[in-house]
Amino acid sequence: MTLHAGASMPDSLRHFMRAKAHPARSVPCPHCGAAAHKPCRLRTTGRLLPEPHPQRASAWAQTTACCPDCQVEPTAPCHDEGRARTSVHNRRYQEAEATAA
């Protein structure tokens, strides 16, 4: 099967090619502005990064998993005694990774 310009890639092939990508790439990066399913970039040089920015990993965990530490539902930000955090708790990352596996 050959694909021509403008043809869409079959979902099965697309999934296979993304299988090795970090699951955080499924959300846009709030740090560098990379679109969902695209790699993060350095804002100064445009160089592609092999791993997502920490802010992107945090956004992914927030949309994917509940937090066992502060008991919030997916999409709600983590907090410490009522004070909002800029990132999620480590246990929420673990929950998100378990969900993705």
Side-chain angles (χ1 to χ4, degrees):
M1 174 177 158
T2 58
L3 295 177
H4 57 81
S8 63
M9 183 181 301
D11 288 337
S12 58
L13 182 58
R14 182 178 291 116
H15 174 73
F16 174 75
M17 293 178 72
R18 287 186 186 149
K20 292 182 182 169
H22 193 285
R25 281 181 48 178
S26 64
V27 298
C29 182
H31 182 72
C32 67
H37 305 293
K38 301 291 182 186
C40 287
R41 298 177 168 267
L42 288 178
R43 292 187 293 183
T44 54
T45 64
R47 185 174 70 89
L48 298 178
L49 299 176
E51 295 293 318
H53 284 108
Q55 297 90 330
R56 188 178 205 173
S58 184
W60 166 73
Q62 182 173 317
T63 60
T64 305
C66 296
C67 182
D69 285 347
C70 61
Q71 303 297 312
V72 294
E73 296 292 321
T75 70
C78 286
H79 60 85
D80 287 322
E81 298 174 10
R83 203 174 78 217
R85 293 174 54 108
T86 57
S87 63
V88 298
H89 289 106
N90 286 334
R91 287 185 59 202
R92 194 170 193 175
Y93 282 117
Q94 294 167 352
E95 288 290 320
E97 288 172 354
T99 301

